[in-house]
Amino acid sequence: MADTQYILPNDIGVSSLDCREAFRLLSPTERLYAHHLSRAAWYGGLAVLLQTSPEAPYIYALLSRLFRAQDPDQLRQHALAEGLTEEEYQAFLVYAAGVYSNMGNYKSFGDTKFVPNLPKEKLERVILGSKAMQQHPEEVRGLWQTCGELMFSLEPRLRHLGLGKEGITTYFSGDCTMEDAKLAQDFLDSQNLSAYNTRLFKEVDQEGKPCYEVRLASVLSGDTAPVSEVTSKLKSYEFQGNHFRVTRGDYAPILQKVVEHLEKAKAYAANSHQEQMLAQYVESFTQGSIEAHKKGSRFWIQDKGPIVESYIGFIESYRDPFGSRGEFEGFVAMVNKAMSAKFERLVASAEQLLKELPWPPAFEKDKFLTPDFTSLDVLTFAGSGIPAGINIPNYDDLRQTEGFKNVSLGNVLAVAYATQREKLTFLEEEDKDLYTRWKGPSFDVQVGLHELLGHGSGKLFAQDEKGVFNFDPETVINPETGEQIQSWYRSGETWDSKFSTIASSYEECRAESVGLYLCLNPQVLEIFGFQGADAEDVIYVNWLNMVRAGLLALEFYTPEASNWRQAHMQARFVILRVLLEAGEGLVTVTPTTGSDGRPDARVRLDRNKIRLVGRPALERFLRRLQVMKSTGDVAGGRALYEGYAAVTDAPPECFLTLRDTVLLRKESRKLIVQPNTHLEGSEVQLLEYEASAAGLIKSFSERFPEDGPELEAVLTQLATADAQFWKSSSEAQSSQA
């Protein structure tokens, strides 16, 4: 059996999203709007398979064929007859549910590969003797031959997502290195092209010279009419002695499905903002235009307080090893009015609270652009995973000048982050009851502050193409040096393009730090309904949760490559290091032995020293983070951040040794079962599923009732068309091994 790092346990937690009441309250028109947006999101989410690993589309197609022909109960009878034990078949169901839930065979949270926890030969017998095999023998056998080995392979390079020798990624062809990624980013910056909707493919010409294809995601594949700002850039370039070619048409048939349902959703839009938003999204996905997506995002920002909220596109860059390319995601949700009222009060206090942050006024936006901040019950969240909250759009220029929106996903928080006392690790016994009681409420506070005042705060000093500054270089002083500002963002540069590989984690760390810092403010706690002893308990548990999360984060560090695989967890480890460095016994991490005789550890937080020691330490760190972000000081920012993110076995903490303990006692992240919507005549029905691996599989088996086989064929055709870009690299790696 495989190392437990690379399997999903049979007893993995599975929860169902409950949005029944919120959906019931929608009008028939709102339900139709939500339905078509959901369809667009689910179709687009299939692109994530092509953004994850070379084999992911084939695994998805194989599983879908198996479970379309036989549901989990029917396939179980066949599997047991083939000699599988109940445990082995359950392991297969969990694996399949994991692939669907993560949209690929790598965990969305941690980027670690997971493999089936049963012998390959037994799974092969199940597949080759299945009803799907009887119905489509050539296709099923072909899928198994293509992905069977890779499904189980744990060769060192295949264990994690990464670039070059560090891991596998399909954002880049297999022969690309970090140097190629940096060169491509410089090229994109020179042409004022965004990397968000691109992939990079490298080939070598007859003279041994590298040639790079930058491929945009779009329905259209050529430079034909209608003419847009994209078509003029679809050509060949010479850049720094290298050949680049910009093309489009990535994921074309998938995006065509997205566009069809966005067009249908327009008929049920509640206002002109939604209509224009959808029109621009259609333009973006059709042409491959990030500018059109930005325009759509502007209308989205202006659409205040909608009953049905949604966002869709190439959004988060966490899984691009270079940190610039966006993974496709789309969500549709309904407003939770009670919790939203609290967030509205937080928004009303935002301008005052921003003044509490530990940097000079010049480092804050000239004007706080009051955002929407709502608590939503998710109907659909397509992509590789579901977050607890979101602050979007991620376009720096829009966030600085147009604004943004914050959403807290209430029904996700209710199930994904619920904690059972008996499963709590690394805490003192006397802390466990308090932690269990206040984890949810404190997390509501942290998510609110993180999204609104973390991601929503801070100014980026910039100079536009005309040479105009958005700050006064003569009078603005760097509080860390006492000198004038020495660096800033030039035209075409963005936070992601400048800070690249650390951008996501650095920003998450800044937002988490803002949340911890401002939760000490009594005004904030009153907004959420906490006063007196309850307020102090919320503060304590919020800080305790963060330092515990910093320890748990060690699961996502890879010692062999000395790198982190998850931005949020790296950020939390950095905060733990900052608070440990504060000294005076504020935080201690003590190795111990558990009741089972195996290694264990305890995290302690002295609640009496949170304000006295923790607050000033966090204040200093937070100011440095913001100053280096505002000024685009990449060298200083990297030195600061990577210094705290380093994991060694130096005493007293001995983090590498502690990592073994964390892996020994880790709890797998829950899988989330989502409902479907189904159109019957002019009425939309909500289809719900049980909270189990089989229920999750059934939800996907019923997700594409009209065109499932067609979609699987499209996915495998797209994967096969590009297979050359990873085959040679994989073979080379194997021969080196």
Side-chain angles (χ1 to χ4, degrees):
M1 294 297 103
D3 186 317
T4 56
Q5 286 186 69
Y6 306 106
I7 61 169
L8 303 178
N10 278 14
D11 63 350
I12 192 170
V14 185
S15 297
S16 291
L17 279 190
D18 181 9
C19 63
R20 187 182 314 140
E21 181 62 15
F23 185 81
R24 185 186 68 80
L25 294 173
L26 296 181
S27 70
T29 300
E30 289 164 348
R31 291 185 184 187
L32 286 161
Y33 182 65
H35 168 72
H36 288 296
L37 289 175
S38 292
R39 301 309 299 153
W42 285 123
Y43 279 117
L46 296 173
V48 177
L49 294 160
L50 296 157
Q51 293 180 296
T52 301
S53 69
E55 68 273 14
Y58 301 102
I59 296 173
Y60 174 91
L62 178 61
L63 294 175
S64 296
R65 287 203 173 276
L66 280 176
F67 290 112
R68 186 182 304 108
Q70 292 169 281
D71 69 27
D73 286 340
Q74 293 167 336
L75 193 62
R76 174 180 173 274
Q77 299 303 319
H78 163 60
L80 296 180
E82 289 288 349
L84 271 69
T85 65
E86 290 279 7
E87 291 74 20
E88 288 168 338
Y89 182 63
Q90 178 63 21
F92 174 56
L93 288 186
V94 166
Y95 175 78
V99 170
Y100 286 135
S101 187
N102 291 277
M103 268 291 109
N105 56 331
Y106 287 76
K107 296 175 187 175
S108 65
F109 204 81
D111 297 341
T112 304
K113 187 173 185 178
F114 58 95
V115 300
N117 190 25
L118 71 158
K120 176 172 175 279
E121 300 73 25
K122 287 194 170 185
L123 180 56
E124 182 175 53
R125 288 207 300 271
V126 172
I127 291 168
L128 298 184
S130 67
K131 192 171 180 180
M133 179 70 180
Q134 295 168 19
Q135 294 172 346
H136 304 282
E138 290 185 15
E139 293 172 21
V140 172
R141 187 181 298 277
L143 288 169
W144 174 247
Q145 289 174 344
T146 302
C147 70
E149 287 294 331
L150 284 169
M151 185 188 292
F152 282 84
S153 176
L154 285 174
E155 287 181 35
R157 183 173 179 246
L158 303 182
R159 293 174 186 171
H160 309 288
L161 298 181
L163 192 53
K165 296 178 181 179
E166 302 301 324
I168 191 72
T169 178
T170 47
Y171 284 110
F172 299 86
S173 55
D175 54 354
C176 282
T177 64
M178 196 61 77
E179 290 71 28
D180 293 313
K182 178 66 170 69
L183 175 68
Q185 187 63 57
D186 290 343
F187 164 73
L188 290 167
D189 289 345
S190 75
Q191 299 301 318
N192 201 26
L193 269 170
S194 170
Y196 270 120
N197 65 341
T198 70
R199 290 198 289 169
L200 184 70
F201 298 90
K202 175 183 173 184
E203 295 185 274
V204 178
D205 64 17
Q206 293 178 340
E207 299 173 0
K209 186 178 176 181
C211 302
Y212 299 94
E213 178 194 0
V214 174
R215 190 188 302 167
L216 311 180
S218 68
V219 176
L220 297 177
S221 57
D223 58 0
T224 54
V227 176
S228 72
E229 97 280 351
V230 174
T231 54
S232 64
K233 300 195 175 179
L234 301 173
K235 59 185 180 182
S236 295
Y237 302 78
E238 290 297 319
F239 178 77
Q240 296 183 3
N242 296 277
H243 182 74
F244 277 84
R245 184 166 54 100
V246 178
T247 67
R248 66 180 174 185
D250 218 1
Y251 325 118
I254 292 172
L255 292 178
Q256 178 61 49
K257 298 277 190 181
V258 175
V259 165
E260 288 171 6
H261 280 280
L262 292 179
E263 290 282 13
K264 291 178 180 178
K266 277 166 61 178
Y268 306 105
N271 53 53
S272 62
H273 289 315
Q274 291 180 0
E275 290 174 5
Q276 293 175 89
M277 169 189 81
L278 294 174
Q280 290 297 328
Y281 290 166
V282 167
E283 173 77 1
S284 173
F285 299 140
T286 301
Q287 295 276 357
S289 169
I290 289 297
E291 282 305 312
H293 196 268
K294 283 186 178 181
K295 290 177 183 176
S297 298
R298 285 191 179 95
F299 290 117
W300 179 72
I301 292 166
Q302 294 165 25
D303 183 28
K304 303 289 187 182
I307 300 299
V308 177
E309 183 63 281
S310 69
Y311 197 65
I312 189 169
F314 296 90
I315 313 298
E316 302 291 357
S317 56
Y318 301 126
R319 299 183 94 191
D320 169 15
F322 189 72
S324 294
R325 287 150 192 81
E327 184 174 81
F328 193 97
E329 70 178 40
F331 77 85
V332 184
M334 295 81 66
V335 172
N336 179 318
K337 292 183 178 179
M339 182 57 77
S340 295
K342 295 179 181 179
F343 289 138
E344 286 172 15
R345 292 198 293 275
L346 187 64
V347 171
S349 304
E351 287 190 84
Q352 189 61 39
L353 291 170
L354 284 171
K355 296 175 183 176
E356 303 291 321
L357 292 173
W359 48 78
F363 285 73
E364 196 48 71
K365 297 183 183 73
D366 300 331
K367 181 184 178 185
F368 181 69
L369 301 166
T370 306
D372 248 15
F373 196 170
T374 48
S375 177
L376 304 175
D377 285 344
V378 171
L379 171 65
T380 294
F381 205 112
S384 65
I386 312 178
I390 316 169
N391 177 286
I392 36 182
N394 286 339
Y395 304 120
D396 291 328
D397 50 347
L398 292 193
R399 295 167 64 82
Q400 296 284 316
T401 59
E402 307 271 344
F404 51 90
K405 283 187 183 181
N406 300 274
V407 295
S408 174
L409 305 178
N411 60 341
V412 176
L413 284 167
V415 295
Y417 297 91
T419 306
Q420 294 178 301
R421 190 188 192 284
E422 59 271 19
K423 291 191 175 183
L424 276 177
T425 53
F426 308 127
L427 291 180
E428 298 286 358
E429 281 300 315
E430 59 264 29
D431 279 335
K432 288 185 177 180
D433 289 333
L434 202 66
Y435 185 92
T436 303
R437 179 181 177 188
W438 293 109
K439 166 75 182 301
S442 72
F443 204 58
D444 284 337
V445 174
Q446 179 69 10
V447 168
L449 294 170
H450 173 116
E451 300 297 346
L452 176 67
L453 298 165
H455 292 313
S457 64
K459 180 174 182 173
L460 302 186
F461 297 146
Q463 183 181 28
D464 66 20
E465 65 278 3
K466 297 177 182 177
V468 178
F469 291 95
N470 70 345
F471 68 104
D472 185 348
E474 298 297 323
T475 61
V476 176
I477 300 298
N478 183 325
E480 294 297 303
T481 66
E483 300 174 352
Q484 292 178 335
I485 302 302
Q486 302 295 314
S487 58
W488 50 85
Y489 295 80
R490 265 68 175 185
S491 177
E493 291 182 332
T494 67
W495 164 250
D496 282 332
S497 70
K498 277 185 78 73
F499 281 74
S500 64
T501 54
I502 67 165
S504 293
S505 184
Y506 188 112
E507 173 59 8
E508 290 304 323
C509 186
R510 197 182 68 88
E512 291 282 43
S513 298
V514 167
L516 284 187
Y517 187 76
L518 288 180
C519 84
L520 298 172
N521 188 307
Q523 180 185 357
V524 168
L525 296 165
E526 286 177 16
I527 288 170
F528 284 89
F530 306 120
Q531 294 179 309
D534 286 353
E536 291 302 311
D537 285 344
V538 167
I539 291 169
Y540 177 63
V541 169
N542 196 30
W543 280 62
L544 180 64
N545 182 53
M546 188 62 68
V547 296
R548 176 176 180 262
L551 180 62
L552 295 175
L554 288 167
E555 175 191 343
F556 302 96
Y557 178 77
T558 307
E560 299 80 9
S562 299
N563 67 9
W564 286 88
R565 306 188 309 276
Q566 217 289 326
H568 295 78
M569 299 309 281
Q570 181 181 4
R572 291 164 188 169
F573 177 78
V574 166
I575 293 172
L576 171 62
R577 286 285 308 275
V578 169
L579 298 179
L580 282 165
E581 191 180 89
E584 299 187 41
L586 171 67
V587 174
T588 55
V589 181
T590 309
T592 183
T593 301
S595 58
D596 57 3
R598 299 187 298 172
D600 204 343
R602 293 289 177 268
V603 172
R604 294 183 180 88
L605 170 68
D606 188 333
R607 67 190 297 163
N608 297 316
K609 295 180 179 176
I610 290 175
R611 287 184 174 85
L612 187 65
V613 180
R615 186 182 187 278
L618 196 62
E619 181 176 290
R620 290 191 298 272
F621 175 66
L622 189 49
R623 181 171 56 247
R624 295 175 72 191
L625 285 179
Q626 183 56 50
V627 167
M628 291 168 185
K629 180 180 179 182
S630 288
T631 59
D633 180 2
V634 178
R638 278 192 175 278
L640 171 70
Y641 197 71
E642 292 176 347
Y644 278 112
V647 180
T648 72
D649 223 22
E653 287 80 24
C654 304
F655 283 119
L656 286 175
T657 299
L658 278 172
R659 179 179 178 273
D660 295 334
T661 303
V662 170
L663 290 174
L664 181 68
R665 299 191 177 275
K666 73 185 181 77
E667 182 183 2
S668 293
R669 195 171 176 84
K670 288 182 181 177
L671 304 180
I672 305 293
V673 184
Q674 298 186 56
N676 284 320
T677 55
H678 178 64
L679 192 59
E680 294 183 5
S682 61
E683 291 189 5
V684 181
Q685 304 296 323
L686 184 70
L687 306 179
E688 297 175 287
Y689 303 89
E690 69 174 27
S692 67
L696 200 157
I697 290 166
K698 188 177 180 184
S699 74
F700 269 88
S701 294
E702 296 182 0
R703 193 140 282 155
F704 305 105
E706 304 90 358
D707 51 7
E710 174 196 334
L711 291 170
E712 291 144 26
V714 162
L715 285 165
T716 55
Q717 287 163 10
L718 292 174
T720 301
D722 289 330
Q724 58 175 318
F725 291 113
W726 294 283
K727 184 177 292 184
S728 58
S729 172
S730 176
E731 289 170 352
Q733 291 287 334
S734 298
S735 64
Q736 288 172 16

